[in-house]
């Protein structure tokens, strides 16, 4: 079975500092991986996804993630945090079941940005 | 705005009652997914429909059911409600059913069972 683990339920960074949110996956086959962001009282929005085309994936709002097979990781980074980045971030894997593909999510990491 | 709409936004009801949550997918999307988000369980997949037919089931209780209509909108029916059913229910849609398809999420329906 495929799953994802997000290390750190809560991460705090200073405005302008590097953002690093960790995600490790377990999969017996090449995974398809996603990062979603959820702002307070809103639905989830896709930041970026890995579909095996390139290991370094660039997303919206300056975020990017690198797929590292040797480390089974797909960490999300942003060089300089902005106050508007404060939100909850979810890593997800596309899980095959009976011919369909649903998302299995990690438990989420809440990002706080300190002015 | 993802293009996925959900109604109602909030729903407050009592234990033992039945409610219906509605979802309209993005124009042209054939797949509809339902997820439940709660503090203790996190985000969990419930059920998927593809072009009117049930495609996959996840951690969905027998008291819950769903359907997708010919116009592709979907409804999630929750019956014999319990306090533990209080959660955010999200609908998502995608174009078809490939593993790399982006799922677009609606704003959710917050269900409170008293």
């Amino acid at each position: 079975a495929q799953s994802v683990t997000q290390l750190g339920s809560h991460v705090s960074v200073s405005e302008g500092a590097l953002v690093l949110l960790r995600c490790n996956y377990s999969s017996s086959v090449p995974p398809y991986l996603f990062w979603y962001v959820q702002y307070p009282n809103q639905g989830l929005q896709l930041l970026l996804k890995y579909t095996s085309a390139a290991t370094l994936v660039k997303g919206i709002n300056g975020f990017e993630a690198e797929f590292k097979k040797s480390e089974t990781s797909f960490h999300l980074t942003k060089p300089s945090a902005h106050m508007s980045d404060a939100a909850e971030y979810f890593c997800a894997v596309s899980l095959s079941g009976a011919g369909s593909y649903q998302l299995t999510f990690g438990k989420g990491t809440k990002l706080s940005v300190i002015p | 705005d993802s293009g996925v709409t959900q109604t109602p936004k909030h729903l407050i009801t009592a234990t033992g009652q039945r409610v219906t949550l509605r979802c309209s997918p993005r124009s042209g999307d054939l797949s509809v997914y339902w997820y439940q988000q709660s503090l203790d369980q996190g985000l969990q997949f419930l059920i998927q429909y593809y072009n009117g037919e049930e495609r996959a089931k996840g951690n969905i209780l027998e008291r819950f059911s769903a359907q997708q209509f010919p116009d592709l909108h979907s409804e999630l029916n929750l019956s014999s409600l319990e306090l533990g059913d209080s959660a955010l229910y999200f609908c998502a849609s995608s174009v078809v059913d490939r593993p790399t398809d982006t799922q677009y999420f609606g704003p959710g329906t917050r269900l409170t069972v008293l």
Side-chain angles (χ1 to χ4, degrees):
Chain A
Q2 301 179 49
S3 67
V4 291
T5 303
Q6 293 184 241
L7 297 175
S9 60
H10 199 160
V11 170
S12 292
V13 300
S14 298
E15 191 175 15
L18 171 72
V19 176
L20 171 60
L21 305 181
R22 299 176 188 274
C23 173
N24 287 88
Y25 68 90
S26 63
S27 173
S28 57
V29 297
Y32 300 107
L33 296 159
F34 304 76
W35 275 100
Y36 279 85
V37 60
Q38 184 179 27
Y39 297 102
N41 300 315
Q42 293 187 30
L44 283 79
Q45 180 183 11
L46 180 72
L47 278 176
L48 48 83
K49 62 181 178 181
Y50 169 73
T51 60
S52 76
T55 56
L56 183 62
V57 182
K58 294 188 183 298
I60 61 171
N61 302 338
F63 285 94
E64 63 182 37
E66 187 172 7
F67 175 75
K68 292 187 177 179
K69 186 177 178 181
S70 60
E71 299 177 9
T72 62
S73 69
F74 190 57
H75 302 332
L76 183 70
T77 61
K78 181 174 180 177
S80 176
H82 192 271
M83 296 298 294
S84 60
D85 295 326
E88 190 154 20
Y89 293 79
F90 293 91
C91 183
V93 63
S94 183
L95 178 65
S96 173
S100 77
Y101 295 93
Q102 60 264 25
L103 294 173
T104 297
F105 287 90
K107 293 194 178 297
T109 298
K110 191 165 286 189
L111 175 68
S112 298
V113 181
I114 305 164
Chain B
D1 184 357
S2 67
V4 178
T5 60
Q6 290 187 250
T7 56
K9 194 168 184 177
H10 300 278
L11 200 47
I12 301 174
T13 188
T15 54
Q17 295 299 304
R18 173 189 168 94
V19 296
T20 298
L21 314 184
R22 182 188 169 103
C23 168
S24 293
R26 293 186 326 148
S27 176
D29 284 0
L30 298 177
S31 265
V32 169
Y33 306 79
W34 286 97
Y35 293 88
Q36 179 194 60
Q37 185 179 35
S38 62
L39 281 174
D40 51 346
Q41 299 291 330
L43 263 164
Q44 288 198 102
F45 166 72
L46 295 178
I47 196 166
Q48 180 204 1
Y49 277 80
Y50 179 78
N51 203 20
E53 294 189 2
E54 182 184 302
R55 181 63 70 97
K57 271 187 172 180
N59 297 320
I60 188 166
L61 300 170
E62 285 192 9
R63 301 182 284 109
F64 295 1
S65 65
Q67 53 184 328
Q68 186 179 27
F69 295 87
D71 67 353
L72 300 178
H73 90 271
S74 178
E75 293 181 355
L76 179 68
N77 302 296
L78 316 176
S79 62
S80 303
L81 285 168
E82 301 175 0
L83 295 177
D85 297 328
S86 295
L88 254 176
Y89 291 84
F90 287 107
C91 165
S93 72
S94 64
V95 175
V96 284
D97 185 25
R98 293 170 303 216
T100 55
D101 283 348
T102 296
Q103 291 185 27
Y104 295 88
F105 282 74
T109 293
R110 184 173 292 280
L111 174 66
T112 302
V113 182
L114 301 175

